[in-house]
Amino acid sequence: MGGLETAQFNALVVVGLLVFFYGGTFLISTRIGKKEENADGYMTAGNNIGFGISAASMTATWIWAASMYASATSGYTYGISGPIHYGLWGALMILFIYPFGRRIRAVAPKAHTLAEVMYARHGRSSQLMLAGSNVVGSLISLMSNFIAGGVLISMLSPFTFTQGVFAIAAGVLLYTLWSGFRASVLTDFVQVVAMLGAVAVIVPFIFLAADFPAAFETGAAHLTAEQGDFFSSVAFMEQGAPYIAAVLAYAIGNQTIAQRLFAVKEDLIKPTFITATIGYGAMVIGVGMLGVLALYLGYEPVGGDPNNIIPGMAAEYLPPVLLGLFFIMIVGALSSTADSDLAALSSIMMADVYGQNVAGKEKADPKTMLLVGRITMVVATALAVAFASLQLNILDLLVFVGALWGALVFPVLASFYWDKVSGKAFTTSVLAALAVFLPVRFGWISVDGVFGIVVDVLSVIGIGVVLGLMVFGFFGARAAKIVGAAAVVVSAPFAIGSLHEYATLCGSLVAYSVSTVICWAMSVRRREGFDFGLIAQRTGDFDGGSSAAAVPVPAAAGGEARVPSPAGGADGDPEPAGTSAK
């Protein structure tokens, strides 16, 4: 690692690069700023973003510094199949979002958050549950990106890790605070173009500088048998399978993705997500191969921390000019997701907390909403900076949050398609899934003996749920049931008795299975249905004066029933008995 010290930038160069990047993004954000800011524009940019901006923003948001670092860690840990498991499944999950996204936009064309829609569908408890999970997830994401930035700056400059974290946090907050989501998506376009160009130059250069392909021939001795096997079962069970489950949950539960879903023009959802799928897969797999190269070279990351692989490899093999380009690439990657997290957190506090639970939909003041959103960004940045000092493993954080959101996937999706799902079924199923997930994931209870078999059985059901949901979006309920049932039957003989040994995977799968089984069991016998047309009436613009007032609907026994407004604050189901699904 002697080359790391000689490759370091001096303080003036680092400050210049940061000023160039964040100064440029700030100037872009000021060009789109409005003297009289609009609360809805601050959250979703008027639901009218075009293809180029939306596709670039989705790609940039899904690609963050943690994605690059974690992909390289996966390659360093599991060999050549590691980045494939990380990047391919992550890319496919973007693709799997779009059929669900079209349904979500059809029933809630003017919504700002998924939690806002759950409020219109079920009531306060399910809304706050989904909003709360996104607050936790976005704070962890924000912290992860600040960690990545702090590591980068501390390794390539005289500045410390803490100073690096503060610099990145201040830069992101600078350009996001004034224009919110609009600033995030517009700067995403510039950032993703820069990242794609940098990856296309930097990754091949490092491979050539490290004497590729000879390094793969002479360095094979550094690999274990599993690392040298492209079809390694260890790599699949410990990285591939958990990530398949985790990123599906990310796709459905993550407000940063939902926010872009609500912002893009409705007829552009499909091309936007397909383009983002290709862009994400190419970039993340390419960068992850640096971890594979490090494994073959016998490279030891600084301090034994896998988060240091990418910056260490760059410092070792890149000349100063390309090292500067690499620096901008990583800063752009982490900033594009950090600003998305800030925009997501501000929207949750604006729409879900203040807009519906404090002031109420009809009485919410757009100017106060903007103040709430900006204060949220400042507080969230401060909390993420404080948590970043823990320097937790980024890959572990990603999988944990994805598994946590797994408890929400079926109840959320079912609420958009099945009129029988109730607020009680939603809340009960999610809480029960979390109660099982946590002890399984962290080994609080021994999984030997009978309990281990129970975990295996629930995990097998979870396999069926995950694959069934993937199929459902494209081919409908019948195909989903067939694939889900087949997956359970095929996997059961191999999984029952041994699957509980993989705590990360099992934790995610039991979250899916428990929430699905309980939500279905509590809903299937329910006679009342929900009129999905009510969601569009109960959600909408805050600046436009849209109303969530009571809506007359036919009552079950004749006459007229008044549907309680979700803004009224009642828990449980706002839907009246006797209404049917459209």
Side-chain angles (χ1 to χ4, degrees), residues 383-437:
L383 289 174
V385 167
F387 293 147
S389 63
L390 301 175
Q391 290 187 260
L392 302 175
N393 184 282
I394 293 175
L395 186 58
D396 289 344
L397 289 175
L398 294 177
V399 176
F400 169 73
V401 174
L404 190 66
W405 274 329
L408 289 157
V409 174
F410 182 85
V412 168
L413 288 179
S415 297
F416 282 102
Y417 289 90
W418 193 16
D419 64 328
K420 304 297 183 184
V421 179
S422 67
K424 291 180 180 178
F426 186 105
T427 303
T428 304
S429 61
V430 172
L431 291 177
L434 291 177
V436 178
F437 159 72

Side-chain angles (χ1 to χ4, degrees), residues 64-66 69 139-155 160-162 164-166 168-169 305 307-308 311 330 334 338 384-395 397:
W64 43 334
Y69 283 30
L139 280 175
I140 290 177
S141 171
L142 199 58
M143 176 187 67
S144 299
N145 281 287
F146 290 168
I147 289 174
V151 168
L152 178 71
I153 291 175
S154 66
M155 291 187 69
T160 66
F161 169 81
T162 302
V165 168
F166 272 98
I168 296 297
D305 186 352
N307 293 338
N308 296 335
I330 298 298
L334 65 89
V385 167
F387 293 147
S389 63
L390 301 175
Q391 290 187 260
L392 302 175
N393 184 282
I394 293 175
L395 186 58
L397 289 175

Side-chain angles (χ1 to χ4, degrees), residues 483-566:
V483 170
V488 170
V489 172
V490 171
S491 63
F494 306 97
I496 295 177
S498 61
L499 197 56
H500 60 266
E501 298 174 5
Y502 301 92
T504 300
L505 175 58
C506 282
S508 183
L509 291 176
V510 297
Y512 276 98
S513 62
V514 171
S515 62
T516 299
V517 170
I518 293 178
C519 186
W520 175 84
M522 294 182 66
S523 304
V524 68
R525 294 182 179 275
R526 194 165 180 256
R527 293 185 178 181
E528 310 89 59
F530 177 79
D531 183 351
F532 286 103
L534 296 177
I535 292 178
Q537 299 175 29
R538 292 170 173 173
T539 58
D541 293 342
F542 286 90
D543 284 282
S546 59
S547 174
V551 181
V553 294
E560 185 179 269
R562 300 290 290 180
V563 181
S565 166

Side-chain angles (χ1 to χ4, degrees), residues 297-316:
L297 292 172
Y299 180 85
E300 291 293 334
V302 177
D305 186 352
N307 293 338
N308 296 335
I309 291 173
I310 288 183
M313 290 285 287
E316 188 81 9

